[in-house]
């Protein structure tokens, strides 16, 4: 992780944006939005799997304004996302300002906040989705209740051609992912070291030409090749459009199989000859 930053520790968090709260939502057009494609075209050919996969969960990229929902402040409860949205959040990030997003955060991997929720009698650890209450945010969520999971999606286009990852944290802005809090002078700080949490950045790569990505259904292929744990990924098809988001072991069984040995495989098999993105922890 980068060294302690910013210095000195900010006295307050940046104000939520936009102000005032917008009266109209932008036109849908998120990186995934309604234009993503699970399968680029109907599968045809001798290598197509002839068994239905429609019962698999679906995973969606959702962008929302601040929720003003105090339920997100429920300490370390790992099922808050399911209780509120009807699905499991695989990864999320906070928008601190119009130009600045936090790094991707993965529940259970690097989501312990460096501040605590305080009351008159106690202090409580909390997860970083606590900031959903007052900041715009984005998450990848999986489940079966699509309408509930995607309710309130503003379809905000957060990725740009000049900065496809858009994970710049502005100098002087609070970055809870890497913040070390020992000696923190501010009220509400944890006071313990949390920088040992892993980093889970968004990574974009060109085709790999590595046939190991086609190696069966093992969910350890990413670790063997990258020494990283991929939490979610998507493929850029030859047509120029992006696939929907896939989560290993949830919705990523490939609709084609390896004809040489008859083995099924995962969608990351297309890392072999396609540009791709993934959120991975290490």
């Amino acid at each position: 992780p980068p060294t302690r930053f910013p210095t000195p520790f900010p006295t307050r968090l940046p104000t939520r944006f936009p102000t005032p709260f917008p009266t109209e939502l932008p036109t849908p057009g998120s990186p995934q939005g309604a234009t993503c494609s699970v399968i680029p075209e109907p599968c045809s050919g001798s290598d197509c799997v002839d068994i239905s996969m429609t019962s698999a969960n679906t995973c969606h990229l959702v962008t929302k304004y601040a929720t003003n929902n105090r339920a997100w402040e429920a300490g370390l409860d790992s099922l808050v996302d399911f209780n509120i949205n009807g699905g499991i959040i695989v990864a999320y990030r906070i928008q601190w300002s119009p130009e600045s997003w936090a790094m991707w955060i993965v529940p259970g991997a690097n989501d312990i906040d460096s501040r605590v929720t305080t009351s008159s009698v106690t202090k409580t650890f909390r997860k970083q989705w606590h900031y959903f209450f007052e900041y715009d945010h984005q998450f990848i969520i999986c489940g079966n209740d699509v309408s509930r999971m995607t309710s309130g999606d503003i379809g905000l286009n957060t990725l740009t051609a000049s900065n496809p990852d858009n994970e710049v944290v502005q100098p002087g802005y609070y970055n809870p992912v890497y913040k070390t809090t020992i000696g923190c002078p501010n009220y509400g700080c944890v006071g313990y070291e949390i920088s040992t949490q892993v980093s889970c950045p968004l990574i974009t790569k060109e085709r790999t030409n590595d046939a190991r990505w086609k190696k069966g259904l093992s969910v350890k292929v990413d670790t063997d090749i990258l020494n990283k744990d991929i939490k979610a990924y998507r493929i850029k098809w030859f047509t120029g459009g992006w696939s929907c988001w896939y989560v290993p072991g949830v919705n990523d069984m490939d609709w084609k199989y390896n004809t040489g040995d008859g083995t099924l495989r995962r969608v990351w098999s297309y890392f072999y000859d396609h540009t791709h993105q993934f959120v991975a922890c290490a």
Side-chain angles (χ1 to χ4, degrees), residues 34-228:
T35 61
C36 74
S37 175
V38 177
I39 304 176
E41 58 187 19
C43 186
S44 61
S46 59
D47 58 348
C48 292
V49 176
D50 61 358
I51 301 175
S52 173
M53 304 175 190
T54 57
S55 59
N57 296 123
T58 58
C59 300
H60 302 267
L61 180 69
V62 177
T63 308
K64 290 190 174 186
Y65 289 126
T67 64
N68 295 307
N69 185 349
R70 292 288 183 186
W72 288 108
E73 301 179 343
L76 296 179
D77 185 350
S78 60
L79 293 178
V80 171
D81 51 347
F82 185 81
N83 294 334
I84 295 175
N85 291 325
I88 299 298
I89 291 178
V90 177
Y92 63 94
R93 58 181 182 168
I94 315 297
Q95 190 165 24
W96 298 126
S97 79
E99 301 82 20
S100 174
W101 286 82
M103 296 284 283
W104 281 91
I105 301 163
V106 173
N110 64 340
D111 65 331
I112 301 300
D113 192 18
S114 59
R115 289 177 179 254
V116 297
T117 298
T118 59
S119 70
S120 59
V121 296
T122 187
K123 294 194 300 183
T124 306
F125 280 106
R126 66 191 190 191
K127 292 179 177 289
Q128 290 184 50
W129 55 33
H130 163 93
Y131 296 104
F132 288 6
F133 173 79
E134 59 180 339
Y135 287 92
D136 299 341
H137 52 280
Q138 190 176 73
F139 51 79
I140 300 169
I141 188 169
C142 300
N144 288 322
D145 193 342
V146 177
S147 61
R148 186 178 171 194
M149 290 191 301
T150 60
S151 176
D153 183 9
I154 62 177
L156 189 64
N157 189 349
T158 60
L159 302 184
T160 64
S162 60
N163 184 15
D165 295 347
N166 204 11
E167 293 182 303
V168 178
V169 179
Q170 291 183 335
Y173 273 25
Y174 176 67
N175 181 1
V177 175
Y178 294 122
K179 188 74 186 74
T180 177
T181 62
I182 289 181
C184 169
N186 291 342
Y187 176 76
C189 294
V190 168
Y192 299 95
E193 182 61 69
I194 62 169
S195 63
T196 53
Q197 296 185 96
V198 296
S199 169
C200 302
L202 177 70
I203 299 171
T204 304
K205 284 184 174 289
E206 302 296 327
R207 59 179 294 163
T208 65
N209 297 313
D210 190 336
R212 288 180 295 174
W213 287 108
K214 300 181 179 182
K215 188 179 179 181
L217 293 176
S218 172
V219 293
K220 297 296 184 182
V221 173
D222 53 346
T223 304
D224 294 340
I225 298 175
L226 301 172
N227 198 30
K228 297 178 185 294

